[in-house]
Amino acid sequence: MNPFHYTACTDIDSALAAMASHNGTNPCQARFVAGGTNLIDLMKERLAHPSALIDINGLPLADIAPTDDGGLRLGALARNADTADHPLVRARYPLLRAAILAGASPQLRNMASNGGNLLQRTRCYYFYDADVPCNKHTPGSGCPATKGLARQHAIFGASTHCIATHPSDMCVALAALEAVVHVQSVRGRRAIPFATFHRLPEDRPEVDTTLAPDELITHIDLPPAQPGFAVHSTYLKLRERASYAFAMMSVAAALDIGEDGRVRTARVVLGGVAHKPWRNVPAESLLVGKVAERASFMAVADAVMADARPAGGPGVPESSRGNSWKIPMAHRAIVRALEMATQGIPSNTGEDGARCRGEQPA
Ligand code: SF4
């Protein structure tokens, strides 16, 4: 691990000023640190080399509170566990709760901050080896995953420079709920719609988000809950072992279903399949006005998966690419998630006890 300066701040202005001063004088940029559950690992693995760490755990950004418009404000420093357990998240946004509880372990959720969850980096095997080429940690060095092990890699939005996926569960739900990320720097404040917060790799895979290096995430706003989503939402996560594993793919599905059984609003977002949570708005709009039933869900899955391609480099046949299995699996996962949402089953991961299996709580 490289030497670095350490500064602990207790107010936002001091933290932003510290960031501005470090980034103005050092070739390696300073980084804000909160839970440190990804950043410290990256530093130990020689994949992050900040010149300074600005500890923001003392900043007043841990509150979770209703907004004037009926939504909910999630402080960037609220811990993932506290967010999942908050009464208003439980009551109004169970999709977010289910996604958070599907991720990591209880110990990690106790440490990980909401802001940090958005900034975690890919779990591509090659990325985590500082001694192999990788365009994400060493721009221009190449992407061995395109000709190597790509089992967990992208089927949407990949480029020839990078086929990595975003690992977060929480972000998949935030995309489905149309959250807005609020950020601040010494230059001012701005709000970033969740759909544009993470970016596709294109020819700059080393850049994961549209956040500027000196910007601090202050909070994440959820719009007022859609009628019906509190009952008809699901986070379906498919992984290689039953707990404490990143998603090979996931689906956040939410439906507002009228008394006539027809869908008024639908959200379908996939995780583990692209460099960002993957949402296809035209495809999910196919459900509007349709009866919430398997035939309607199949049509949505057909439309979403029409754009899917197994990732791999030139000369590697699509049929032999390591992640081609994800395409039929994701199709089935979309249909299953929408069926679970219709039935009011919030999760397949068992974190929520009996409700996760579709049973009535005792
Ligand atoms: Fe690196 Fe992206 Fe290629 Fe993985 S997929 S080796 S992160 S460039």
Side-chain angles (χ1 to χ4, degrees):
M1 190 185 284
N2 288 353
F4 56 88
H5 295 276
Y6 174 82
T7 309
C9 295
T10 55
D11 64 87
I12 294 173
D13 288 344
S14 301
L16 297 180
M19 175 60 82
S21 72
H22 278 294
N23 280 358
T25 58
N26 286 284
C28 295
Q29 288 175 331
R31 296 286 302 272
F32 295 119
V33 64
T37 54
N38 191 208
L39 177 59
I40 303 302
D41 283 352
L42 293 169
M43 292 171 66
K44 288 178 180 173
E45 297 289 343
R46 298 179 287 126
L47 295 166
H49 317 91
S51 56
L53 287 186
I54 301 166
D55 188 332
I56 57 172
N57 285 296
L59 271 53
L61 295 173
D63 286 348
I64 297 175
T67 55
D68 291 342
D69 67 354
L72 191 65
R73 175 158 294 182
L74 310 175
L77 290 177
R79 304 296 149 169
N80 286 179
D82 295 332
T83 304
D85 277 340
H86 193 279
L88 291 178
V89 173
R90 283 174 173 263
R92 298 183 191 171
Y93 306 96
L95 177 61
L96 178 60
R97 171 178 165 79
I100 292 173
L101 293 181
S105 66
Q107 293 87 348
L108 284 166
R109 296 194 295 266
N110 286 340
M111 282 297 293
S113 67
N114 289 337
N117 192 305
L118 274 54
L119 299 177
Q120 61 183 298
R121 306 210 73 192
T122 184
R123 296 287 158 170
C124 172
Y125 337 102
Y126 299 100
F127 172 74
Y128 274 86
D129 187 341
D131 295 323
V132 304
C134 165
N135 285 329
K136 194 177 273 296
H137 66 58
T138 310
S141 62
C143 174
T146 55
K147 292 186 178 174
L149 291 172
R151 179 170 166 72
Q152 66 172 203
H153 289 73
I155 53 174
F156 294 104
S159 76
T160 55
H161 302 280
C162 180
I163 59 173
T165 56
H166 193 263
S168 170
D169 294 296
M170 180 182 183
C171 289
V172 185
L174 291 174
L177 294 169
E178 297 186 340
V180 176
V181 185
H182 291 262
V183 306
Q184 190 173 344
S185 71
V186 290
R187 292 169 284 109
R189 304 168 193 242
R190 67 185 178 116
I192 308 173
F194 209 82
T196 58
F197 184 80
H198 296 99
R199 59 181 297 282
L200 294 177
E202 301 173 341
D203 60 355
R204 296 286 312 279
E206 73 277 15
V207 182
D208 292 345
T209 71
T210 54
L211 190 72
D214 64 340
E215 285 179 319
L216 172 71
I217 299 174
T218 55
H219 51 276
I220 302 156
D221 278 357
L222 298 174
Q226 289 277 338
F229 282 12
V231 177
H232 296 297
S233 65
T234 289
Y235 189 69
L236 173 69
K237 179 172 180 176
L238 304 179
R239 48 189 168 183
E240 290 191 320
R241 57 174 184 255
S243 69
Y244 192 31
F246 291 95
M248 297 305 282
M249 72 181 60
S250 64
V251 183
L255 298 170
D256 177 24
I257 303 173
E259 290 184 359
D260 59 358
R262 294 183 183 276
V263 175
R264 293 190 288 227
T265 309
R267 305 273 169 79
V268 181
V269 180
L270 274 64
V273 295
H275 208 249
K276 58 187 290 186
W278 190 258
R279 184 178 177 195
N280 183 327
V281 175
E284 67 188 19
S285 70
L286 294 174
L287 271 178
V288 176
K290 299 288 189 327
V291 175
E293 60 183 10
R294 187 174 180 83
S296 310
F297 304 154
M298 291 287 283
V300 174
D302 289 347
V304 172
M305 300 312 299
D307 297 330
R309 298 286 180 275
V316 182
E318 287 199 0
S319 59
S320 62
R321 292 178 185 173
N323 61 353
S324 54
W325 66 276
K326 280 191 171 185
I327 295 176
M329 184 71 87
H331 190 286
R332 291 195 288 272
I334 292 169
V335 174
R336 183 175 161 205
L338 287 165
E339 289 180 332
M340 290 171 64
T342 304
Q343 295 162 21
I345 304 172
S347 167
N348 71 321
T349 59
E351 300 284 359
D352 237 358
R355 274 196 77 210
C356 296
R357 297 186 297 276
E359 302 161 6
Q360 292 301 313

